[in-house]
């Protein structure tokens, strides 16, 4: 389930995480997506003084991926802050669903270690996706 690109994804997400704009939560997050042809696209969280306008790292990475012309999330890796699991929020699970398959691995990490990998289907069971329309 863990690909040969894991270390590259980890390093890329860690670097992107450093750029997080988090003056309110101070909780930096970095994400790295492995695309259909094994490109790695990153994102970080971008908070806003109007708190609800803040954007998660996964959403930033997905926006960057689409902007670069990629269409598929083969794997995604997220690095949060602290030692607890930083699993994608509910809204980001749905955002990932749009470009992933049910078996797409979601790697959850802290800045030092890999903590857990789950398939998208485990995090978002009975989901609604493009094929349901
Ligand atoms: N956050 C992410 O970017 N991704 C996650 O998977 C969980 C939470 C961000 C949102 C907010 O900027 C900060 O972490 C604290 O919730």
């Amino acid at each position: 389930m863990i690909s040969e690109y894991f270390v590259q994804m980890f390093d890329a997400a860690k670097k992107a995480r450093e750029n997080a704009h988090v003056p309110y939560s101070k909780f930096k997050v970095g994400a790295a997506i492995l695309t259909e042809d094994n490109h790695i696209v990153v994102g970080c969280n971008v908070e806003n003084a109007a708190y609800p306008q803040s954007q998660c790292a996964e959403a930033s990475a997905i926006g960057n991926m689409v902007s670069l012309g990629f269409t598929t999330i083969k794997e995604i890796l997220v690095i949060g802050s602290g030692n607890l699991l930083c699993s994608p929020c509910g809204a980001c699970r749905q955002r990932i669903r749009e470009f992933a398959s049910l078996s797409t691995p979601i790697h959850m990490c802290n800045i030092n270690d890999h903590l857990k990998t789950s398939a998208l289907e485990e995090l978002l069971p009975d989901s609604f996706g493009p094929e349901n329309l």
Side-chain angles (χ1 to χ4, degrees):
M1 207 167 171
I2 295 186
S3 74
E4 58 185 294
Y5 294 97
F6 183 89
V7 173
Q8 264 174 268
M9 292 172 74
F10 186 91
D11 290 345
K14 195 168 172 178
K15 199 167 169 200
R17 179 185 168 279
E18 280 309 308
N19 295 328
H21 176 72
V22 290
Y24 311 107
S25 74
K26 318 277 191 217
F27 190 90
K28 292 183 173 186
V29 184
I33 291 170
L34 185 68
T35 68
E36 57 269 33
D37 46 3
N38 303 322
H39 280 78
I40 291 172
V41 183
V42 298
C44 61
N45 51 340
V46 183
E47 296 184 347
N48 193 281
Y51 297 170
Q53 306 313 321
S54 298
Q55 177 157 297
C56 287
E58 297 89 327
S60 297
I62 289 170
N64 291 340
M65 179 195 91
V66 173
S67 303
L68 289 166
F70 300 110
T71 58
T72 305
I73 300 175
K74 243 170 56 170
E75 296 183 33
I76 181 165
L77 183 149
V78 184
I79 303 182
S81 296
N83 292 323
L84 300 178
L85 209 59
C86 182
S87 61
C89 75
C92 284
R93 293 175 194 204
Q94 185 65 35
R95 290 189 177 102
I96 294 166
R97 173 71 174 86
E98 185 71 15
F99 301 101
S101 72
L102 296 179
S103 61
T104 294
I106 299 176
H107 307 297
M108 293 162 269
C109 305
N110 65 19
I111 57 165
N112 298 312
D113 289 309
H114 174 216
L115 301 176
K116 183 173 183 176
T117 294
S118 299
L120 175 61
E121 192 172 31
E122 297 175 271
L123 299 186
L124 195 68
D126 297 328
S127 62
F128 188 88
E131 329 73 58
N132 296 93
L133 287 174

